[in-house]
């Protein structure tokens, strides 16, 4: 296994602990167990501790969301087709992420102090990319920006409602509804 794939596996294991426990609840002992490493070995990989791990997880989540979902907003096809590809890609991203986007988890609580501004800037970029597609579909800029926000609200809000109601089918239903009618 290459160093890159080992790092990817490590990031996935750590991400699951943060998803399950949140930033505050993820202890170094839990993170080390999930990683299959001692605490000392975990510090060898992440000398900055939990904060460095969370930062690496944010970078990984952004990279994967970009690759699987947001990159599909550009390229060939009508705006409707590109939005449908985006929603399918976002569903794939969530499936690979255990049904929850780690960015949502890490934008809450004390992690917000160090990670919040970067996550918010990324979301603004994504909202702008979505708004551009809605504009290409013929909507005026204000309406396009509102539709982009509504789509992100549906995607991220349904994750929260799924968790709050302990009903993963809520997220699945939302994704299916959005795939049938992406809102253009």
């Amino acid at each position: 296994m290459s160093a890159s794939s080992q790092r990817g596996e490590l990031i996935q294991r750590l991400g699951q602990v943060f998803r399950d426990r949140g930033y505050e609840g993820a202890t170094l002992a839990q993170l080390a167990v999930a990683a299959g490493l001692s605490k000392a070995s975990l510090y060898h990989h992440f000398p900055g501790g939990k904060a460095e791990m969370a930062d690496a997880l944010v970078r990984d989540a952004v990279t994967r969301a970009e690759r699987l979902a947001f990159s599909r907003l550009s390229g060939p096809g009508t705006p409707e087709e590109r939005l449908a590809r985006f929603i399918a890609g976002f569903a794939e991203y969530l499936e690979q992420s255990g049904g929850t986007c780690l960015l949502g988890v890490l934008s809450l609580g004390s992690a917000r102090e160090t990670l919040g501004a970067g996550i918010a800037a990324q979301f603004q970029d994504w909202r702008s990319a979505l708004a551009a597609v809605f504009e290409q579909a013929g909507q005026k800029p204000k309406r396009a920006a509102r539709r982009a926000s509504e789509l992100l609200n549906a995607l991220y809000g349904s994750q929260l409602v799924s968790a709050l109601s302990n009903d993963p089918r809520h997220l699945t239903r939302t994704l299916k509804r959005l795939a049938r009618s992406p809102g253009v």
Side-chain angles (χ1 to χ4, degrees), residues 20 23 25 32 39 59 82 101-102 108 114 126 148 156 175 179 182:
D20 292 345
Y23 183 80
K39 286 184 194 178
R59 285 193 312 274
R82 288 182 280 140
C101 177
L102 193 56
L108 302 171
T114 55
W126 286 343
Y156 280 87
L175 290 167

Side-chain angles (χ1 to χ4, degrees), residues 127-146:
R127 185 181 300 122
S128 296
L130 284 165
V133 175
F134 283 111
E135 282 188 58
Q136 292 163 8
Q139 295 182 9
K140 295 192 185 302
K142 274 182 122 172
R143 172 100 172 116
R146 191 168 48 251

Side-chain angles (χ1 to χ4, degrees), residues 27 31 36 50 75-76 83 93 103 106 123 133 150 163 171 175 178:
T27 67
L31 291 162
K50 195 160 79 165
L83 281 168
Y93 165 71
L103 298 176
L106 292 175
F123 257 70
V133 175
E150 289 168 355
L171 176 59
L175 290 167
L178 290 170

Side-chain angles (χ1 to χ4, degrees), residues 8 21-22 46 54 93 125 135 161 170 182-183:
R21 308 240 180 234
F46 299 96
Y93 165 71
D125 289 348
E135 282 188 58
V161 170
H170 177 78

